[in-house]
Amino acid sequence: MLKYQQIANQIEQFIEENQLQQGEKLPILENLMNQYNASKSTIVKALDLLEKKGIIFQVRGSGTFVRRKDRKGYISLLSNQGFKKDLDQFEITTKVMDLQVVKPTKEVAENLNILSDQDVYHVKRIRYIHGQTLCVEESYYNKEIVTYLNKEIVTESIFHYIQEGLGLKVGFSDMYMQMGKLNDEEARLLGLIAGEPKMSAETIFFLSSGKPFDFSKITYNYQQAQFFIQGTNM
Amino acid sequence: MLKYQQIANQIEQFIEENQLQQGEKLPILENLMNQYNASKSTIVKALDLLEKKGIIFQVRGSGTFVRRKDRKGYISLLSNQGFKKDLDQFEITTKVMDLQVVKPTKEVAENLNILSDQDVYHVKRIRYIHGQTLCVEESYYNKEIVTYLNKEIVTESIFHYIQEGLGLKVGFSDMYMQMGKLNDEEARLLGLIAGEPKMSAETIFFLSSGKPFDFSKITYNYQQAQFFIQGTNM
């Protein structure tokens, strides 16, 4: 982790520990430089990162202010970190339904930008929140990039493993959401009734090099899943 | 519009006109500087803006690449520009159900961070896409900031008017999405059946100064609305 990222984490922690509210002003640049013993450009980079993450906002000529407005229990759709981080306050558990190496369907190959004879890991999981179904998740990983998975890994956070274990740098993601009605299979897995509301999302995750490595389809339990989306300044 | 914003628009247009695909490389910095007759720092700012908007991604030591991955007909949830821009390819029409100055409810006052005796504009609209209902939108504007609205304005793009007409600078937004089932009133307005899937969103829009000016509640027609969410590099 680079110095500006460390400082960004420290500032975020400072905001949390002191329970700073929306609109509260952070110390001026010079004070932050002293406090964190860092150059101006490092502090500027740390603040830019925090702004990107929606933690603060900067007003030219006026200063830096706290933005945080999380409502508890909402899944943030801008973070690429998976659920674990957002739902820290909850007990999330996972049941692995399937884990195997397969050849991709045409749809999977297209979204991962690979050939149909390359290998992918297929992982199907049900996630629970406080014992209630949260979602059914079906993921395909390009095995050339995500070279190894086992049951223990996919029971925990795959993203944590990809970053810490494999040392890969996750870049960005494209997510497509749709609504509809649950079919029999989806309803059975979620413990709901066919025809009830369904929210499904397809997400492609890219390494910071721009290579797609994960294509996931998630079907959410409409009674449990709620989302928080921060739009940033353009 | 500042120079780097103009250049960002030109580069975006260049990508569109030449139908550059995901992963295609843009010219190197020096060439862009020549092409747009701009300094290095201006080009860097233009590229950063385009990265923020999800149009490109930058790989250190390797270059700048096209990111665009829009699927036609999806509403982008990261842009703060309202529907008009995303759904350009469609015919969007609006029916105004209500437009009046009222006192805020407790919920509205809290979200707009105003007192209960201050005035707000209440605007209720149904939006149609190709003649089908897309959503019912109920918005509350702090009248101290959005000082004037009339039927013509709210039939068109309120955001365009706020930015161009009132000269306000829109900053960021917080959106909270939930799923459920339509009640009788919602079903009637959307032309659906009570009990069918419902997706609703509450959004608070802030000026770049951090002041909330618009609190909106939208109920979407699950058959028409689909969303595109770009997650950016953290």
Side-chain angles (χ1 to χ4, degrees):
Chain A
M1 197 180 284
L2 297 169
K3 184 163 186 194
Y4 78 91
Q5 293 169 320
Q6 279 170 17
I7 292 177
N9 284 347
Q10 287 169 335
I11 296 176
E12 187 174 351
Q13 222 176 318
F14 173 84
I15 292 171
E16 271 169 27
E17 280 167 4
N18 292 278
Q19 300 192 301
L20 298 190
Q21 297 304 303
Q22 165 93 6
E24 281 195 60
K25 194 172 177 174
L26 288 188
I28 59 169
L29 207 59
E30 286 71 24
N31 293 354
L32 292 172
M33 286 163 64
N34 287 335
Q35 194 171 333
Y36 296 105
N37 191 23
S39 70
K40 184 174 167 185
S41 74
T42 301
I43 297 292
V44 167
K45 275 171 88 173
L47 294 178
D48 283 349
L49 179 61
L50 290 173
E51 181 160 39
K52 226 168 162 177
K53 290 174 80 174
I55 310 288
I56 60 161
F57 63 96
Q58 305 184 71
V59 182
R60 203 171 299 180
S62 178
T64 303
F65 303 87
V66 173
R67 186 173 161 191
R68 178 172 299 290
K69 257 272 182 173
D70 287 10
R71 290 190 195 172
K72 276 211 183 302
Y74 281 74
I75 299 167
S76 169
L77 284 185
L78 280 206
S79 104
N80 288 341
Q81 308 304 313
F83 292 144
K84 285 272 175 172
K85 200 165 176 292
D86 302 306
L87 296 174
D88 268 355
Q89 66 263 49
F90 297 112
E91 194 201 352
I92 300 275
T93 51
T94 299
K95 184 166 151 195
V96 179
M97 310 287 287
D98 189 37
L99 165 63
Q100 58 177 317
V101 175
V102 298
K103 298 296 177 193
T105 61
K106 191 161 171 277
E107 180 195 25
V108 171
E110 272 176 16
N111 280 293
L112 288 176
N113 198 21
I114 57 175
L115 299 171
S116 58
D117 64 349
Q118 287 184 256
D119 286 336
V120 296
Y121 270 111
H122 173 246
V123 180
K124 186 167 180 176
R125 304 188 291 182
I126 303 181
R127 316 293 293 260
Y128 300 86
I129 182 164
H130 285 308
Q132 309 262 28
T133 56
L134 175 61
C135 62
V136 178
E137 196 186 291
E138 203 157 7
S139 300
Y140 300 88
Y141 298 91
N142 180 352
K143 193 172 175 301
E144 218 169 78
I145 299 172
V146 180
T147 47
Y148 179 75
L149 288 176
N150 65 23
K151 197 167 173 193
E152 199 188 328
I153 293 167
V154 304
T155 303
E156 296 297 319
S157 168
I158 298 181
F159 267 63
H160 179 80
Y161 163 75
I162 284 174
Q163 294 180 92
E164 304 300 323
L166 297 178
L168 295 170
K169 223 177 148 237
V170 177
F172 48 88
S173 61
D174 288 339
M175 185 184 215
Y176 303 91
M177 285 171 58
Q178 274 185 312
M179 290 164 282
K181 292 178 183 176
L182 293 168
N183 65 28
D184 289 336
E185 162 80 354
E186 292 159 345
R188 188 178 58 76
L189 292 172
L190 289 172
L192 296 170
I193 297 164
E196 285 198 293
K198 157 179 161 173
M199 150 92 97
S200 53
E202 285 184 25
T203 311
I204 307 157
F205 293 94
F206 299 81
L207 297 179
S208 57
S209 67
K211 265 202 173 196
F213 67 95
D214 173 4
F215 173 60
S216 289
K217 295 176 170 201
I218 302 185
T219 304
Y220 290 98
N221 178 344
Y222 75 102
Q223 295 173 331
Q224 299 296 332
Q226 39 191 14
F227 304 96
F228 174 50
I229 300 159
Q230 284 193 313
T232 36
N233 201 326
M234 303 242 152
Chain B
M1 197 179 283
L2 297 170
K3 186 165 184 193
Y4 78 92
Q5 293 169 321
Q6 279 169 16
I7 291 176
N9 285 346
Q10 287 170 337
I11 296 176
E12 187 174 352
Q13 223 177 318
F14 173 83
I15 292 171
E16 271 168 28
E17 279 167 6
N18 293 278
Q19 301 192 301
L20 298 190
Q21 298 303 303
Q22 165 93 6
E24 281 197 59
K25 195 171 175 175
L26 289 188
I28 59 168
L29 209 58
E30 287 70 24
N31 292 354
L32 292 172
M33 286 163 64
N34 288 333
Q35 195 170 333
Y36 295 106
N37 191 24
S39 70
K40 184 174 167 185
S41 73
T42 302
I43 297 293
V44 167
K45 276 172 88 170
L47 293 178
D48 283 349
L49 179 62
L50 289 173
E51 182 160 39
K52 226 170 164 176
K53 288 173 81 175
I55 310 287
I56 61 161
F57 62 97
Q58 304 184 71
V59 182
R60 205 171 299 180
S62 177
T64 303
F65 304 87
V66 173
R67 186 171 161 193
R68 177 172 301 292
K69 257 273 181 175
D70 287 10
R71 290 189 195 173
K72 277 213 183 300
Y74 282 73
I75 299 168
S76 168
L77 285 185
L78 280 205
S79 105
N80 288 342
Q81 307 303 313
F83 292 145
K84 286 271 176 172
K85 200 164 175 295
D86 302 305
L87 296 174
D88 268 355
Q89 67 261 49
F90 298 111
E91 194 202 351
I92 301 274
T93 51
T94 299
K95 184 168 151 192
V96 179
M97 309 288 286
D98 189 37
L99 165 63
Q100 58 178 315
V101 175
V102 299
K103 298 297 177 193
T105 62
K106 188 160 172 278
E107 180 195 24
V108 171
E110 271 176 16
N111 280 293
L112 288 176
N113 198 20
I114 57 175
L115 300 172
S116 59
D117 63 350
Q118 286 185 257
D119 286 336
V120 295
Y121 270 110
H122 173 246
V123 180
K124 187 166 180 176
R125 304 187 292 181
I126 303 182
R127 316 292 293 261
Y128 300 86
I129 183 165
H130 286 308
Q132 309 263 26
T133 56
L134 175 62
C135 62
V136 177
E137 196 186 292
E138 203 158 7
S139 301
Y140 299 88
Y141 298 91
N142 180 352
K143 195 172 175 300
E144 219 169 77
I145 299 172
V146 180
T147 48
Y148 178 75
L149 288 176
N150 66 23
K151 197 169 171 191
E152 199 188 326
I153 294 167
V154 303
T155 303
E156 296 296 320
S157 169
I158 299 181
F159 266 63
H160 179 80
Y161 163 75
I162 284 173
Q163 294 180 91
E164 304 300 322
L166 297 177
L168 295 170
K169 223 177 147 238
V170 176
F172 48 88
S173 61
D174 288 338
M175 184 184 214
Y176 303 91
M177 285 171 57
Q178 274 184 312
M179 290 165 282
K181 294 179 181 174
L182 293 168
N183 64 29
D184 288 337
E185 162 80 353
E186 292 159 345
R188 189 178 57 77
L189 292 173
L190 289 172
L192 295 170
I193 297 163
E196 284 198 293
K198 157 179 161 172
M199 150 91 97
S200 53
E202 286 184 25
T203 312
I204 308 157
F205 292 94
F206 299 81
L207 297 179
S208 58
S209 67
K211 265 201 172 193
F213 68 95
D214 172 5
F215 173 60
S216 289
K217 295 175 170 202
I218 302 186
T219 305
Y220 289 98
N221 179 341
Y222 75 101
Q223 295 173 330
Q224 299 297 331
Q226 39 191 15
F227 303 96
F228 174 50
I229 300 159
Q230 284 193 312
T232 36
N233 199 327
M234 302 242 149

